[in-house]
Amino acid sequence: MSIRQWTGGELRLAPWTNEWVIVAPARASGTRETTGACPFCPGPGEDTPPERWRLSTPDGSGWRVRAVTNRYALSDHHEVVIESPQHGWDLTTATTAEVVDVLTAWQVRHRALRAGAAEVVVFRNRGEAAGSSLAHPHSQVLGLPVLSGVTARNVAVARDHHHRTGRRLVEDIVEAELAHGERVVHTDAGATAFVPIAPATEFETRIVPSTYRADFGAATLDELATAADSLRTVLAALRAVLVDPAYNLVLHTAPTTWTSAPFLAWHLQVLPRLTTPAGLEVATGIPVLTTRPEDCAARLRTALPVDAAR
Ligand SMILES: [Zn+2]
């Protein structure tokens, strides 16, 4: 039996699946925002744990994006990125420069939290169905001392593909999607967004930068800008089609020991949360989708902002 002590609780390995489970009783004691002032809004009601990093406004008087310790931290390597001082700010209506600021914050904190971590996870929960308890726009960066089963499997599949073909799996997937065309949501010189052939949720969309690179931490500012543009476009289309859905946004990037792997490529995954997993999904991990991925992509294409039409 394997139990590893962690700052905020324990990591336990399930013997049936060899997958890690986090046990963190301390997280339940925090009462989340229900009434009163937002703790992330600047001003008298502001109430955040210590700041770790910030992007200042040009005159230095305030901040554009900041990273603070997560109040309900799973470990001392768990931070919240507060994406804007404005409570009503949204990725879909932000400027490209503002989205680049957020991706820059992810990148800086991703690099900072690597020490001692097997992988650094970056994600954004929006809406209660996606696990978000605070409306102020924010994302999270977490350094995990163990490699998750999902990441280990993703690495193994990509590595195997590279062994057999000498090619990068994500690059082959993008080429196949572009050749097929039916599931492509949006593509330009910088990135391609598509609904995967076998998505995990309805309207799942993957955004893959055209410069394939294992490590998100090494992406250039230009690469972040094209990814930011594509992300904004996809989220705007999802918002229009699904009327402001709850979603999880996940960054896929190389685990700490694989940052120069020639078979990996960092990219973004948006997972709308439209339904609750039921028995079959819980029993088998097999998603049941009632909308064809091809139809999801077609609907998203009709809702693209005008300046992003293919
Ligand atoms: Zn706020």
Side-chain angles (χ1 to χ4, degrees):
M1 301 285 175
S2 180
I3 299 182
R4 281 181 66 152
Q5 294 305 318
W6 206 24
T7 324
E10 294 170 345
L11 281 159
R12 300 186 179 200
L13 195 63
W16 346 91
T17 57
N18 219 28
E19 302 269 5
W20 291 99
V21 170
I22 293 171
V23 182
R27 273 173 80 79
S29 62
T31 43
R32 311 300 172 93
E33 177 199 31
T34 45
T35 53
C38 168
F40 290 172
C41 276
E46 187 171 21
D47 179 24
T48 64
E51 180 175 291
R52 300 280 187 94
W53 180 86
R54 71 160 57 186
L55 265 178
S56 299
T57 50
D59 66 2
S61 65
W63 52 272
R64 287 136 64 195
V65 179
R66 62 196 291 247
V68 302
T69 304
N70 189 320
R71 185 178 296 283
Y72 308 100
L74 288 163
S75 82
D76 49 0
H77 284 68
H78 191 181
E79 298 183 6
V80 169
V81 171
I82 306 173
E83 298 166 346
S84 167
Q86 295 168 48
H87 194 85
W89 183 89
D90 190 80
L91 278 172
T92 58
T93 50
T95 64
T96 297
E98 288 169 339
V99 183
V100 170
D101 281 352
V102 172
L103 297 187
T104 300
W106 290 3
Q107 195 179 45
V108 170
R109 301 323 296 160
H110 187 276
R111 285 194 296 242
L113 296 181
R114 252 182 221 177
E119 66 173 306
V120 179
V121 188
V122 180
F123 57 94
R124 179 180 209 268
N125 305 329
R126 182 175 160 90
E128 278 179 32
S132 179
S133 48
L134 216 136
H136 196 111
H138 68 284
S139 36
Q140 300 181 52
V141 185
L142 168 65
L144 273 178
V146 295
L147 199 60
S148 69
V150 168
T151 303
R153 189 165 59 187
N154 288 346
V155 169
V157 170
R159 197 180 178 191
D160 181 54
H161 180 85
H162 191 259
H163 267 303
R164 282 185 288 108
T165 65
R167 302 206 18 112
R168 206 185 292 252
L169 179 60
V170 171
E171 191 170 357
D172 279 352
I173 291 171
V174 170
E175 283 182 14
E177 289 297 349
L178 286 172
H180 179 79
E182 219 186 339
R183 288 178 297 270
V184 175
V185 174
H186 172 251
T187 184
D188 59 24
T192 297
F194 59 94
V195 177
I197 187 168
T201 67
E202 267 151 38
F203 289 91
E204 176 193 336
T205 307
R206 299 251 178 173
I207 299 160
V208 184
S210 306
T211 303
Y212 300 99
R213 193 189 278 288
D215 180 20
F216 172 72
T220 65
L221 201 56
D222 272 354
E223 288 161 28
L224 293 187
T226 51
D229 249 341
S230 191
L231 174 62
R232 217 173 40 136
T233 300
V234 165
L235 289 177
L238 282 167
R239 186 178 186 151
V241 170
L242 302 174
V243 194
D244 200 14
Y247 65 80
N248 301 109
L249 167 60
V250 180
L251 168 72
H252 289 274
T253 182
T256 311
T257 52
W258 291 107
T259 49
S260 46
F263 50 85
L264 296 176
W266 76 267
H267 64 278
L268 300 166
Q269 177 186 29
V270 186
L271 293 155
R273 294 295 169 189
L274 308 176
T275 55
T276 303
L280 178 61
E281 283 148 295
V282 173
T284 63
I286 297 177
V288 180
L289 308 171
T290 54
T291 310
R292 293 173 69 244
E294 294 74 19
D295 296 336
C296 293
R299 287 177 63 190
L300 292 175
R301 282 196 300 271
T302 64
L304 289 175
V306 186
D307 62 348
R310 282 177 74 192

